[in-house]
Amino acid sequence: MRDTYRAQLRETMADLARMVDLVHTALADATTALLTADLPLAEQVISKDRLIDELAEELERRTFSMLARQAPVAGELRTVFSAIRMLGELTRMGDLAAHVAKIARLRFPEHAVPDNLQDNFRKMAEVAGSMVADASTMLRDLNVDTAGHLAAEDTVMDELRRDQFRTLVDGTWTHSVEAAVDTALLGRYYERIADHAVEIAERLVYVVTGDDPV
């Protein structure tokens, strides 16, 4: 019985990794739509967000069922509760990718990101994408050695965000108010995706080691 239960837990973690992969694809496609003003791709990201939500709902039902039907202890209990927390993080990450795509759609056929910030957003997307990929690897391998790398990448993300703010307030901004608002919102979306990836890493450290995230 316990072997079956542990197998279900491993399956849940694998499905969480699959959910991370959906988020990774959504983020990459949303960024392409944003930087190239690709309306069909933006629409695709927005419509596919429901797939992430549906998978989250299915996993949540399964997780609560395991909690109700079994009596998880120690590491099992940590895994169940951490899976529930990670589902919330991943759902929000998918929503944020969809928000990026919605801004791309709103400003079409124009580019939402001004030319002088294209490189900044491209780097933000690369860092966020790398962090999401690292989270996926950690989930599949249950290896927390990458957690420190995620923290370092999050520091890079914070610096890129500060660069955006400096561009917005240094007195040389020549673009519209709408462009300024878009820049502030988009920067926040990428920053939050990175934050959620760090949260997932911290939850995995808790699963593997029992060290509760601060």
Side-chain angles (χ1 to χ4, degrees):
M1 190 66 152
R2 303 310 295 179
D3 288 342
T4 300
Y5 185 53
R6 294 189 185 98
Q8 290 173 336
L9 287 174
R10 288 193 296 271
E11 182 182 355
T12 297
M13 299 303 282
D15 284 339
L16 280 169
R18 184 160 62 93
M19 193 172 168
V20 177
D21 291 342
L22 289 175
V23 168
H24 189 270
T25 298
L27 175 61
D29 289 346
T31 300
T32 298
L34 178 70
L35 297 179
T36 65
D38 188 328
L39 181 60
L41 189 57
E43 295 283 8
Q44 178 179 305
V45 172
I46 295 164
S47 65
K48 283 189 174 181
D49 184 47
R50 73 177 185 277
L51 298 178
I52 296 173
D53 294 338
E54 289 170 357
L55 180 55
E57 291 171 4
E58 175 192 337
L59 288 175
E60 186 176 66
R61 285 193 298 269
R62 188 193 309 167
T63 304
F64 277 114
S65 176
M66 285 191 293
L67 193 60
R69 292 168 181 260
Q70 302 287 343
V73 295
E76 295 171 354
L77 190 61
R78 290 201 306 269
T79 300
V80 171
F81 279 113
S82 294
I84 294 169
R85 289 286 296 273
M86 284 187 279
L87 282 172
E89 304 289 349
L90 287 166
T91 301
R92 286 189 286 274
M93 290 166 80
D95 291 340
L96 289 164
H99 290 336
V100 171
K102 286 175 182 177
I103 289 182
R105 180 177 66 181
L106 177 66
R107 300 306 175 194
F108 180 83
E110 303 298 325
H111 288 75
V113 175
D115 290 343
N116 61 321
L117 282 171
Q118 287 265 328
D119 284 345
N120 176 281
F121 274 101
R122 190 172 291 108
K123 290 173 184 175
M124 286 189 93
E126 289 173 358
V127 172
S130 176
M131 294 175 74
V132 174
D134 286 343
S136 176
T137 300
M138 288 177 67
L139 273 164
R140 284 192 165 84
D141 300 340
L142 291 183
N143 185 332
V144 299
D145 293 342
T146 314
H149 186 228
L150 270 130
E153 289 179 309
D154 194 42
T155 299
V156 175
M157 177 65 77
D158 291 341
E159 182 56 38
L160 289 167
R161 180 81 164 124
R162 283 191 288 271
D163 288 343
Q164 287 179 357
F165 277 122
R166 283 192 283 267
T167 301
L168 285 169
V169 303
D170 67 1
T172 62
W173 186 261
T174 59
H175 306 287
S176 66
V177 173
E178 288 83 0
V181 172
D182 287 345
T183 296
L185 286 174
L186 287 164
R188 181 60 174 161
Y189 297 155
Y190 283 102
E191 182 183 40
R192 288 302 297 148
I193 288 171
D195 289 342
H196 288 308
V198 171
E199 289 288 337
I200 289 171
E202 290 178 347
R203 281 287 133 198
L204 282 166
V205 169
Y206 177 55
V207 168
V208 174
T209 69
D211 293 333
D212 199 6
V214 176

